[in-house]
Amino acid sequence: MSAPEVYKFGGASVKDAEAIRKVASQLKQHVGKPLVVVISAMGKTTNALEALILAHYHDPAEMSNHYQKLQEFHNSIAAALLGDQKDDLMTELHDLWVELNWILEEDPHPDYNYHYDQVIVFGELASTKIVSAYLKAQNVDHDWLDARSFIITDSDYREARILWDKTEEAVDKILKPVLASGKIALTQGFIGSTVYLESSTLGREGSDYTAAVLAHCLDASSVTFWKDVPGIMTGDPKAFEDVTRLEEITYREALEMTYYGAKVIHPKTIKPLQNKNIPLFVRSFDHPSHPGTKISTSSAKKLPPIVVVETDQALIQIATKDFSFVAEGHLSEIFSVVSSLRIKVNSMRNTAMSFLLCVRNEPPKLEKLQAVLSENFDVKIEDGLELITIRHANESMLEKMHRGRTIIFEERFGDTDQFIVRMEG
Ligand code: ASP
Ligand code: MG
């Protein structure tokens, strides 16, 4: 068997019947080649499931509303795709809805993260069932595989870590034979299972990571993310004019971009690929013949300025109460609280009298942080901020970013400029 390829289709690429038809026509061209296809939940289904889970805890009446809508959404796409051939698929979807309903009829589990993962997986299960049934109707030879049989993780629900040895073993046993038989292997992104056979997930947008994990285990020749953008851009087209597509970047650049908050790929994606030198392509599913962006070991291209904006940030100012310097002992105390609350620090800085942390504005976590640290420190929190990072800035770009913005602080290190600014409007 030649080295397989891995394709990932995100939520936008399977958001409705028309999108799924496109996926199928693309996959038709690959029949007979070893290909793994990783698919997300359809459109905004994961958000809808999150609302359902919250309602399960707090608002049972709303819960049945969400549950209904979710069913209708999927059932109507299934009907649009398969017409009068839809019966088998409807039975399979019905089984999923019944299984979900069993969970919802019970009281929600006291461990929210655990409960979340048991429910959230239905998005990926339903979307892949629908895509699979449509591929079958189109005579695209493939096997539907439950990712939970080979993506094996620890029990850190909602942010589970891959157990690599177990995953590799299971991929060898379950996935490889399908590819060797010349069939496309169709599976879900984002979801996995613990060794106790409980569902687990890899974190929001985790399908990217699933694709990378499988590529690593299979020594794939490449991975392609099919997206609703032309490739990786120099900035968010919704926020900036004049953004252009990056033709190629290094793994390192991609890591830097995701670290600073670029949403194009899940931050954990790069490492498993870089470790085996597997190139990653980000391409447009609307224009499959366009080249997109290539991410690999080296790139001959000189990069233009790249702008990454993280919105909804908060700045935490921590000062000693007795006018003493913020010293190493204080930092270790601060960080033990930060890490126990799983707060991700996006930027930090220390001055004589205070220590500054820029983090995502998650009020429940920040209130806890403030409560705990207030015993020994004065803690002030300002929200409504943005963290803007520019890689490879030039003068005109820096000037442009300063214009019309209230900058709270800025910093430069190597090829990276960062600004914390007050959000406009
Ligand atoms: N469906 C999941 C989410 O929306 C995973 C993914 O799409 O990558 O976060
Ligand atoms: Mg997605």
Side-chain angles (χ1 to χ4, degrees):
M1 177 179 85
S2 58
E5 276 186 71
V6 178
Y7 279 4
K8 183 225 124 168
F9 293 93
S13 342
V14 290
K15 69 175 194 294
D16 52 27
E18 196 195 326
I20 293 173
R21 284 193 196 101
K22 260 189 223 157
V23 171
S25 71
Q26 206 172 336
L27 294 182
K28 255 189 193 163
Q29 300 159 23
H30 292 276
V31 175
K33 282 188 240 159
L35 178 68
V36 180
V37 178
V38 173
I39 292 192
S40 300
M42 300 166 89
K44 300 272 176 257
T45 301
T46 305
N47 294 350
L49 280 161
E50 283 186 348
L52 171 77
I53 294 163
L54 274 181
H56 190 192
Y57 281 90
H58 305 295
D59 190 352
E62 260 308 289
M63 178 181 89
S64 26
N65 209 349
H66 287 300
Y67 174 72
Q68 279 276 323
K69 278 204 199 126
L70 208 73
Q71 272 194 51
E72 279 164 22
F73 172 71
H74 288 88
N75 291 352
S76 73
I77 292 174
L81 285 169
L82 288 152
D84 49 15
Q85 290 173 284
K86 68 177 189 300
D87 291 355
D88 290 350
L89 172 59
M90 286 306 187
T91 310
E92 293 211 58
L93 288 176
H94 178 78
D95 290 348
L96 282 181
W97 307 135
V98 169
E99 205 185 315
L100 175 57
N101 198 36
W102 283 338
I103 303 180
L104 299 175
E105 269 172 3
E106 301 283 323
D107 283 341
H109 195 276
D111 177 351
Y112 177 81
N113 291 345
Y114 166 81
H115 190 67
Y116 177 104
D117 278 357
Q118 309 318 302
V119 174
I120 210 85
V121 295
F122 283 88
E124 268 68 16
L125 294 172
S127 76
T128 51
K129 285 282 181 198
I130 293 173
V131 172
S132 172
Y134 184 66
L135 290 177
K136 201 166 150 207
Q138 297 293 307
N139 298 316
V140 180
D141 203 10
H142 70 282
D143 270 354
W144 179 95
L145 300 169
D146 189 331
R148 295 172 299 178
S149 62
F150 47 79
I151 296 288
I152 313 298
T153 73
D154 68 8
S155 302
D156 200 356
Y157 296 105
R158 294 186 69 191
E159 257 175 76
R161 279 170 287 263
I162 298 289
L163 300 179
W164 284 96
D165 289 349
K166 296 209 159 52
T167 298
E168 268 172 4
E169 209 178 291
V171 165
D172 276 355
K173 217 166 86 196
I174 297 166
L175 206 55
K176 273 194 186 154
V178 173
L179 297 171
S181 75
K183 281 189 199 159
I184 292 174
L186 173 72
T187 193
Q188 308 78 33
F190 178 53
I191 73 174
S193 152
T194 68
V195 289
Y196 307 107
L197 305 181
E198 308 278 10
S199 297
S200 57
T201 63
L202 308 174
R204 286 302 307 265
E205 303 303 326
S207 304
D208 293 358
Y209 186 42
T210 304
V213 169
L214 294 178
H216 183 100
C217 295
L218 291 163
D219 291 303
S221 59
S222 70
V223 177
T224 305
F225 293 171
W226 295 99
K227 286 182 145 296
D228 55 352
V229 288
I232 298 185
M233 311 300 283
T234 54
D236 178 356
K238 285 182 217 116
F240 298 101
E241 303 158 8
D242 319 327
V243 298
T244 52
R245 175 179 58 87
L246 296 160
E247 278 173 49
E248 49 178 66
I249 58 174
T250 59
Y251 294 119
R252 199 198 156 100
E253 188 65 34
L255 262 188
E256 297 266 2
M257 289 176 72
T258 57
Y259 178 79
Y260 294 119
K263 301 286 182 290
V264 271
I265 33 185
H266 187 281
K268 284 188 186 164
T269 309
I270 302 299
K271 182 173 182 283
L273 300 180
Q274 186 276 340
N275 289 173
K276 288 210 173 166
N277 219 340
I278 300 168
L280 167 64
F281 296 90
V282 176
R283 298 173 64 180
S284 157
F285 68 80
D286 279 324
H287 305 283
S289 59
H290 290 189
T293 300
K294 179 182 182 185
I295 302 159
S296 63
T297 311
S298 65
S299 155
K301 300 267 186 274
K302 183 172 172 338
L303 292 174
I306 299 172
V307 184
V308 181
V309 180
E310 283 240 69
T311 54
D312 202 17
Q313 301 290 296
L315 188 68
I316 310 169
Q317 286 197 47
I318 305 163
T320 57
K321 287 186 171 172
D322 60 0
F323 217 66
S324 61
F325 290 140
V326 178
E328 289 71 14
H330 300 125
L331 295 184
S332 113
E333 185 183 339
I334 293 167
F335 272 103
S336 87
V337 182
V338 166
S339 106
S340 72
L341 289 171
R342 285 191 180 197
I343 293 174
K344 185 180 165 283
V345 176
N346 291 329
S347 183
M348 59 188 156
R349 179 166 193 160
N350 58 338
T351 68
M353 293 302 162
S354 69
F355 184 63
L356 306 178
L357 288 171
C358 178
V359 303
R360 187 144 68 86
N361 183 29
E362 295 172 285
K365 283 188 183 177
L366 299 191
E367 278 156 28
K368 272 190 210 145
L369 179 86
Q370 188 162 31
V372 177
L373 289 180
S374 289
E375 261 184 50
N376 295 330
F377 301 94
D378 281 327
V379 182
K380 275 193 251 155
I381 299 180
E382 177 179 358
D383 59 12
L385 305 178
E386 269 179 352
L387 176 65
I388 301 181
T389 305
I390 310 176
R391 300 265 305 146
H392 324 287
N394 55 25
E395 280 314 313
S396 74
M397 177 57 97
L398 286 175
E399 200 217 310
K400 196 164 134 194
M401 296 314 291
H402 276 92
R403 219 179 297 143
R405 288 195 168 82
T406 313
I407 296 179
I408 297 179
F409 79 72
E410 61 180 284
E411 196 161 45
R412 161 173 290 184
F413 181 71
D415 242 357
T416 306
D417 284 81
Q418 278 199 317
F419 307 82
I420 294 179
V421 304
R422 224 162 255 135
M423 273 158 88
E424 299 134 48

